[in-house]
Amino acid sequence: MYIEFITFLGTKNLQKTSHFYQNILELPLYKDQKGICKIFSITAESKIGFCKHMPVIFEEKCPILTLIVDDVDAVYKKLLDNDIAIEDAPKYNPTFNIYHSFFKDPNGYTIEVQKFLE
C-alpha cells in the first residue's frame, strides 16, 4: 500500500542544512522543491526533507533522527574530521543492546548513528 516514507522538518537555513546532509552525512539529494524544500534519500524507501516555510521545533532529544549504520566508529571519525560537535563518543547501550552516538545537525535536531547488536 505505501511505497516510501518521508519525514519533513523545518529549517532556518536550507543551504547550510543541505551542505550538512549532502556533504557530511553523504545523503544524496532526492528532490529540490523549488528551493523551498529539499528531500534527501536515506534508503530507496526512506527520505528526510527540510523546508524553509516550516518552523524548527525540538526539545532536548526530541525528535531523534536515527541513522542505522554498520560502522558507528567510522561515522564518528568522519564527523570529527569535519569538525562536527559530538555529544558523546560511541558507546554500548545495554538496555537496547545497541552501539551508538549522538550529535546535532545545523538546525539543532538530535541525530543518532546506531548499530543493532542482536
Side-chain angles (χ1 to χ4, degrees):
M1 179 174 183
Y2 304 107
I3 301 169
E4 295 181 37
F5 181 80
I6 303 173
T7 298
F8 283 97
L9 299 168
T11 182
K12 293 179 182 175
N13 188 327
L14 190 56
Q15 183 177 0
K16 190 173 182 180
T17 299
S18 181
H19 171 78
F20 180 81
Y21 282 88
Q22 282 187 276
N23 300 323
I24 306 298
L25 295 184
E26 299 180 3
L27 298 182
L29 181 65
Y30 173 71
K31 194 171 294 266
D32 183 339
Q33 297 182 307
K34 300 181 180 184
I36 299 168
C37 297
K38 290 191 178 184
I39 303 169
F40 304 93
S41 292
I42 298 170
T43 68
E45 294 83 23
S46 64
K47 316 225 177 348
I48 187 163
F50 294 91
C51 300
K52 295 191 296 188
H53 68 285
M54 294 173 58
V56 175
I57 300 172
F58 61 86
E59 290 186 34
E60 290 187 41
K61 287 187 177 179
C62 185
I64 297 175
L65 309 174
T66 300
L67 300 170
I68 306 302
V69 299
D70 288 325
D71 191 343
V72 173
D73 291 324
V75 175
Y76 175 74
K77 182 182 180 325
K78 179 177 177 50
L79 294 168
L80 289 177
D81 290 346
N82 283 279
D83 298 320
I84 303 300
I86 310 274
E87 292 180 25
D88 293 310
K91 63 185 172 191
Y92 172 65
N93 181 322
T95 303
F96 299 110
N97 196 27
I98 59 173
Y99 186 64
H100 66 152
S101 181
F102 293 98
F103 59 97
K104 301 281 188 187
D105 83 350
N107 302 292
Y109 296 117
T110 298
I111 301 178
E112 174 186 32
V113 289
Q114 173 184 301
K115 180 176 182 167
F116 290 108
L117 299 176
E118 46 194 42

